[in-house]
Amino acid sequence: MFKRPVERFFVKKNLSRVSLRVALVYPNLYRGASSSLGYQLVYFLLNSYPEVACERATLEWPLTIESGLPLKRFDVVAFSLYYELDYVNVLRIIRESGLNPRRSGRDRPLVIAGGPCTANPYPLSEYVDAFVVGCFEAVADRLVETLLSHSGEKRPCLESLASTPGVFVPEVGNPTVLQRVANLDSSFYPVPQVLSQEGPFSSCFMLELSRGCSWGCNFCLLGYTQRPRRDRSARRLAELLEEAKRYGYEKVAFISSDFLGHPDAVRVVNMALEMGYSISLPSLRADAVGDELISTLERGRVRTVTVAPETASKKLKRVLGKEIKNEALLNLAGSLPKTVSTLKLYFMVGVPGETKEDVKQNLELISRVYRAFKKGGAGRRVVVSINPFIPKPHTPLQYCPFPNLERLRGVLNAFRELRAPGLTLRFLHPKRAFIQAFLSLGGLDAAEVLARVFESGLNPSAWFKAIGSALETVKRVREGCNPEEELPWEIVETGIPREHLRLRFARAMEAAGKR
Ligand code: SF4
């Protein structure tokens, strides 16, 4: 039985005094919700409208945390989608709330979804009435206005939503343009944030330094849907740090996909240290870490540093479009201060064009990084996450197939030979990665698969039985797709021309030796 979380700074409004009641659902565990800045941002932004009350729910807490009410008592049920594997949880939560999971069999409440996964809304399009695509802040005013003015009939509300830029309504089938916040300084930011004892960022104030990333690595959804990178100014960041201090926060978790791309990143971290905060940093680009950051890490007594080199192979770096030199990673591992006790690395396997030689290079690099880091202290740990390549929509590598499962297992077994004290390997299971790829590249046929998996009681083996019926999506996942053909998710326009993706794909395939 889930115990009601102990929290501070949540919002509790009188539901009978507002015009619009929203249940905001994180379709996974509470600890994930409490560490998601995006989820918290939507929660506080919705509550900033006087006519709106927003309450939270999660997978294990399907009654709202604030009032303990079932979701069907709300006008809108809104899901935050961060992982494709959470899609079945969306169906489960809707059904457990006593509602019909299919949008066609449901009148009220309206079910809305937002978050990075909505860049391809199709797999959930039979269940969700409207998708918010892109930054919520950019759509919020129009969305709230529409929901407030159409509290009666569903169809007029959906038609009005479909005319809102950044909202996709499956019943209308409107093409839409992904929305981005242009200026972070003038956009809403939640201070305080819900404080709880659960989750990796428990008791932290999450501070978003910048949003998006301009590197445009060929495999990265964010690198294509959230570019260019937009920075919060040092002045605004200082204001937010001061405001959070007044609420008693003692630790800051900096959030950014391209942390060191921010021109004032190190200065702002030092500012936080001077204010008496302890700090946690996001993943760092090894080739951007300079002496100044190294001394800041020491001064801040930072314990964990995360780096995502993806691969050791020069060839595969070109395929992925992420070319961080191995020497930069080795230098970093050897120069981290003694305060850093854990080095986390992210590697990708099954990259198009990968050979045994490339895998061998990965193993050698991990061993060298391990030795360089361990020289700084015998008790230090290296944690390596090894994830299969998953083609993502709207990226140049969207045209590639998911790697062969049998071959993937062989590659992962090769990694298992790496054994050393203080070295931990973590794998994303190839079958789970395959399901993720299926949902990433899913068309309308993937929606029916979700229903079948759900009806079969979410048994993992049900996935592989059900997937066979989605011929078009399975073909894309197993064989890749023709860059000349139109793809289902192109109903969402990201602003990156199709020609650009095709060109980058062609270059990547050339680097992979496939042309
Ligand atoms: S992988 Fe990292 S560096 Fe590359 S585009 Fe994505 S966020 Fe940016």
Side-chain angles (χ1 to χ4, degrees), residues 213 215-217 219-220 222-223 257 285 322:
C213 181
W215 286 98
C217 302
F219 61 92
C220 178
L222 187 137
S257 319
R285 259 188 87 97
K322 189 171 184 181

Side-chain angles (χ1 to χ4, degrees), residues 26-34 58-60 89:
Y26 188 84
N28 210 313
L29 300 180
Y30 173 84
R31 65 190 311 274
S34 66
T58 62
L59 186 60
E60 75 273 54
N89 294 339

Side-chain angles (χ1 to χ4, degrees), residues 121-140:
Y122 275 109
L124 279 175
S125 59
E126 285 295 301
Y127 316 102
V128 169
D129 295 301
F131 293 86
V132 173
V133 192
C135 301
F136 183 71
E137 305 99 307
V139 180

